[in-house]
């Protein structure tokens, strides 16, 4: 079994209520739910960071997009996902 460490965190009351309800509905301990969620979050952030690094390497080798190309890409992404560039950047 992996070594455990204890953390103290503060979250919004609504999120805490939702977390308790979810854990109860799944018949799980809150710490198990949080551990899984955190593992997924960290994995996603790691993949995002690696992807951004790969894009930088590609652009360094093949040239960076022009402002018009960036705007066109933003429009295409907005059409695919229904989000504005500002909404994606604030996420």
């Amino acid at each position: 079994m992996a070594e455990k460490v204890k953390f103290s965190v503060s979250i919004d009351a609504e999120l805490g209520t939702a977390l308790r309800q979810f854990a109860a509905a799944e018949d799980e301990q809150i710490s198990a739910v949080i551990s899984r969620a955190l593992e997924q979050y960290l994995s996603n952030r790691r993949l995002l960071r690696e992807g951004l690094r790969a894009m930088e390497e590609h652009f360094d080798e093949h040239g960076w997009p022009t402002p018009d190309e960036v705007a066109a890409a933003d429009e295409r992404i907005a059409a695919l996902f229904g989000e504005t560039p500002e909404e994606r950047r604030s996420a």
Side-chain angles (χ1 to χ4, degrees), residues 26-39:
E26 297 291 313
D27 193 29
E28 291 187 283
Q29 297 291 319
I30 289 173
S31 58
V33 173
I34 291 172
S35 290
R36 263 199 330 281
L38 189 54
E39 285 173 1

Side-chain angles (χ1 to χ4, degrees), residues 7 10 14-15 22 31 55 65 67 73 80 83:
F7 285 90
S10 298
E14 277 185 30
L15 183 57
F22 182 85
S31 58
M55 286 174 55
L80 289 171
E83 296 178 330

Side-chain angles (χ1 to χ4, degrees), residues 8-72:
S8 175
V9 297
S10 298
I11 58 176
D12 291 336
E14 277 185 30
L15 183 57
T17 299
L19 175 60
R20 282 187 191 93
Q21 290 172 346
F22 182 85
E26 297 291 313
D27 193 29
E28 291 187 283
Q29 297 291 319
I30 289 173
S31 58
V33 173
I34 291 172
S35 290
R36 263 199 330 281
L38 189 54
E39 285 173 1
Q40 183 178 3
Y41 173 81
L42 293 174
S43 176
N44 289 347
R45 297 302 294 189
R46 203 172 296 116
L47 286 173
L48 178 61
R49 192 172 52 244
E50 290 170 5
L52 290 172
R53 237 180 304 194
M55 286 174 55
E56 283 185 10
E57 289 174 13
H58 173 82
F59 291 147
D60 285 344
E61 185 175 333
H62 301 285
W64 285 78
T66 66
D68 289 340
E69 291 170 329
V70 170

